[in-house]
Amino acid sequence: FFFGLSALHVPKRMQMGRDQSPDRSAGLAKDELSPASDNEAVSEETQRQVVLSIAAYSVLICFVDGLSITCAPFLAASIGIPTSLYAVSIATMPLVRLLATWPTTFTANLHGRTPVLRAATATSMAVVPLMGFSMSLLYFAALKGLMGLGDAAAQVCIPFMLSDVSVPGNRSRTFAVFRVSRCAGQGIGPVTGGFLAAKFGPRAVFFGTAPVLGLAAL
């Protein structure tokens, strides 16, 4: 449903494929050019900086996600949340992510990708360490929902930013770097989280995500 509505609001110039891109010599205004034509003006140095910055950001964010996924069940068990209710609380994250994708997409188009991505990072910086203070189901579920909000904003903005600086000829390579960085963080996070939770407890792991998220914000 949401994807169908999104298609109705895609600007005309973004609906044009590569073969339909207007000719620069036709005297069209800049805002009428397709993204593929506009992106050809982006230098390779700019592309490299954006791709590497997003890759580093993705590694750190997915690393924190891995820590959270590993430690959340132990934290829930320590405060007496039953398994059935724990499942319900976890479901708040993808539900909020689903509902937030639509407004964050429009916000990123209207106000730019960078402000929305910064807001997503700020949300994660505030929410994930606070998980360590969880003492009730409601508190736990509410923070999971806020994590879904930040995740939705990040997952909307990052592909937009990569598309903005790439062209069809190198887009697969650009996105491959992003995917590899995500997988690296997702692989390292759970292993590290399990080891730290066993040694220091799950609450300490959530508190320890603060400096990692601060580094990602840079």
Side-chain angles (χ1 to χ4, degrees), residues 33-110:
L33 295 173
S34 70
S37 297
D38 288 341
N39 292 341
E40 290 173 358
V42 178
S43 67
E44 291 186 4
E45 181 63 25
T46 300
Q47 292 182 27
R48 188 180 300 109
Q49 290 178 357
V50 172
V51 171
L52 293 180
S53 297
I54 289 177
Y57 173 86
S58 299
V59 168
L60 295 173
I61 290 297
C62 290
F63 174 72
V64 170
D65 287 343
L67 295 176
S68 175
I69 290 171
T70 303
C71 297
F74 300 107
L75 179 60
S78 69
I79 60 178
I81 298 178
T83 302
S84 58
L85 293 179
Y86 171 74
V88 173
S89 67
I90 292 298
T92 59
M93 185 173 179
L95 178 61
V96 171
R97 187 187 301 147
L98 171 66
L99 298 176
T101 297
W102 175 250
T104 52
T105 300
F106 271 97
T107 304
N109 280 331
L110 291 174

Side-chain angles (χ1 to χ4, degrees), residues 3-27:
F3 284 120
L5 288 178
S6 299
L8 297 177
H9 293 274
V10 174
K12 183 178 180 180
R13 70 184 185 95
M14 296 182 65
Q15 296 176 4
M16 292 186 291
R18 190 179 184 184
D19 295 336
Q20 297 173 305
S21 298
D23 188 355
R24 289 182 182 274
S25 62

